Amino acid sequence: MFTGIIETLGEVKEIVKEGTNLHFKIQSDISREFKIDQSVAHNGVCLTVVELNEGTYTVTAIQETLEKSNLGSLEVGRKVNLERCMLMNGRLDGHIVQGHVDQTAVCIKRESLDGSSEYRFRYDASRGNVTVEKGSVCVNGISLTVVHSELNEFSVFIIPYTLEHTNLHEVNVGDTVNLEFDIIGKYVARLINR
């Protein structure tokens, strides 16, 4: 379980393909605190630490993960949002995030506002996922509040701090992001559709 509050950015240092898997070597300022078999969210995707080196660690993404997320399009030098799993004795600052990406979306609008930025995303609503205004959504692992919601689009407003401390500052119109929809909303939508 995660909260969607990004701890830091990691930089992709190496990508190795093995069969249909991709191994990502990541460097970050918290890499030395990791241990083998630890769960870490990368752009909202929960991956297991499989190797540790001097200031770097390695995680593996299988084909299923690569098909449902934007990790397959990562390149060396790109930044990823990182979050360690939450502690059960801590505050839940964002919302309940599983680290299981539901699907991707495309950024269709990025606009600087007076004191914030608006991002608008389009996704395939035929998969049954929904957003609601003032509800939660996880974009690249970031817990955000939906401002405007339509059938297959939603927008969020980003404060300067979040823009500076996550990889959203690298997201432009046409780029793909990972989405994890609110777990409670997913269960409600599934019950209604039965």
Side-chain angles (χ1 to χ4, degrees), residues 17-96:
K17 185 171 177 56
E18 180 184 27
T20 59
N21 295 344
L22 288 181
H23 304 285
F24 297 98
K25 183 178 279 190
I26 311 281
Q27 181 179 43
S28 78
D29 56 1
I30 58 174
S31 298
R32 294 180 192 279
E33 299 174 34
F34 293 166
K35 61 182 183 177
I36 299 291
D37 208 26
Q38 183 172 358
S39 295
V40 180
H42 299 73
N43 282 354
V45 180
C46 179
L47 298 173
T48 302
V49 175
V50 297
E51 185 179 322
L52 295 169
N53 293 298
E54 280 298 308
T56 66
Y57 65 95
T58 302
V59 291
T60 301
I62 62 172
Q63 184 173 355
E64 167 83 3
T65 303
L66 297 170
E67 289 174 358
K68 287 192 174 178
S69 72
N70 66 2
L71 295 185
S73 64
L74 284 178
E75 298 172 347
V76 171
R78 291 295 302 264
K79 303 283 194 230
V80 290
N81 293 323
L82 298 179
E83 180 190 0
R84 289 177 279 192
C85 56
M86 69 178 181
L87 299 170
M88 293 307 289
N89 64 349
R91 287 182 170 77
L92 181 61
D93 291 321
H95 71 282
I96 297 172

Side-chain angles (χ1 to χ4, degrees), residues 63-185:
Q63 184 173 355
E64 167 83 3
T65 303
L66 297 170
E67 289 174 358
K68 287 192 174 178
S69 72
N70 66 2
L71 295 185
S73 64
L74 284 178
E75 298 172 347
V76 171
R78 291 295 302 264
K79 303 283 194 230
V80 290
N81 293 323
L82 298 179
E83 180 190 0
R84 289 177 279 192
C85 56
M86 69 178 181
L87 299 170
M88 293 307 289
N89 64 349
R91 287 182 170 77
L92 181 61
D93 291 321
H95 71 282
I96 297 172
V97 177
Q98 295 181 294
H100 303 157
V101 170
D102 294 304
Q103 65 186 95
T104 58
V106 175
C107 179
I108 59 171
K109 178 182 180 183
R110 177 181 174 175
E111 181 180 349
S112 292
L113 306 173
D114 189 18
S116 65
S117 298
E118 179 183 2
Y119 283 80
R120 189 164 190 81
F121 300 100
R122 180 174 292 138
Y123 63 96
D124 180 2
S126 69
R127 295 186 180 193
N129 294 310
V130 297
T131 59
V132 294
E133 291 184 7
K134 307 301 180 260
S136 296
V137 66
C138 208
V139 176
N140 271 1
I142 308 161
S143 175
L144 298 170
T145 301
V146 175
V147 178
H148 301 291
S149 176
E150 296 177 25
L151 177 63
N152 64 340
E153 295 179 7
F154 68 92
S155 62
V156 292
F157 291 168
I158 309 298
I159 63 173
Y161 180 89
T162 302
L163 194 62
E164 180 183 344
H165 291 91
T166 68
N167 67 4
L168 272 182
H169 63 270
E170 296 180 343
V171 174
N172 293 302
V173 171
D175 289 345
T176 301
V177 296
N178 294 327
L179 297 181
E180 181 180 331
F181 294 86
D182 181 65
I183 186 66
I184 297 169

